[in-house]
Amino acid sequence: MKNNVMFSSRTDMWETPQDLFDELNSEFHFTLDVCAVQGNAKCEKFYTPDDDGLSQPWDGVVWCNPPYGRDIGKWILTASIASGARGATVVMLLPARTDTRWFHDFIYQKGRVEVRFLRGRLKFGNSKNSAPFPSMVVVFRPTS
């Protein structure tokens, strides 16, 4: 289900670049993609919007490239909870918006969170153009 609107600013869904995912997967060995659509899931086990990944259990080693709209903070909070309460490792691809409330509340100054700022701008999915924003990979590690 490839659609040009998925790779434009007209949507909050940005398909993970396969080469970036492959590099991270070789390090983390993901078991669950909590925010996928049919046809672009990065793991054998995945949740679609119909499954509502925010209401499902996040266990094991989780990949999450959430919608980049107003609800992004809910995804980041859920990642923080999953790594704390459930003992999951959660790796997220996020826009590098260090001025946001969600960055300061759930990522910045959290001892078990690693932030990797990515050089340059990513090309999401089959897009011809780079994203209009910088990106970062955030790793939530289990508390135990």
Side-chain angles (χ1 to χ4, degrees), residues 84-100:
R86 300 186 69 88
T89 296
V90 182
V91 180
M92 302 185 83
L93 177 58
L94 299 169
R97 296 187 179 135
T98 59
D99 59 336
T100 60

Side-chain angles (χ1 to χ4, degrees), residues 49-109:
D50 290 338
D51 298 320
D52 184 14
L54 287 171
S55 67
Q56 300 296 325
W58 294 19
D59 295 308
V61 184
V62 176
W63 171 250
C64 182
N65 178 10
Y68 291 180
R70 292 184 183 273
D71 288 338
I72 193 169
K74 293 177 184 177
W75 291 93
I76 299 165
L77 173 60
T78 301
S80 181
I81 292 169
S83 67
R86 300 186 69 88
T89 296
V90 182
V91 180
M92 302 185 83
L93 177 58
L94 299 169
R97 296 187 179 135
T98 59
D99 59 336
T100 60
R101 177 174 288 164
W102 54 259
F103 182 81
H104 285 268
D105 288 352
F106 307 126
I107 297 171
Y108 189 62
Q109 298 181 343

Side-chain angles (χ1 to χ4, degrees), residues 20-40:
L20 174 64
F21 177 81
D22 291 343
E23 181 181 332
L24 292 168
N25 191 40
S26 70
E27 178 181 353
F28 291 98
H29 309 285
F30 298 110
T31 58
L32 173 64
D33 182 343
V34 295
C35 193
V37 295
Q38 197 67 33
N40 81 356

Side-chain angles (χ1 to χ4, degrees), residues 40-54:
N40 81 356
K42 300 300 180 191
C43 300
E44 188 173 318
K45 183 178 177 187
F46 61 93
Y47 301 140
T48 67
D50 290 338
D51 298 320
D52 184 14
L54 287 171

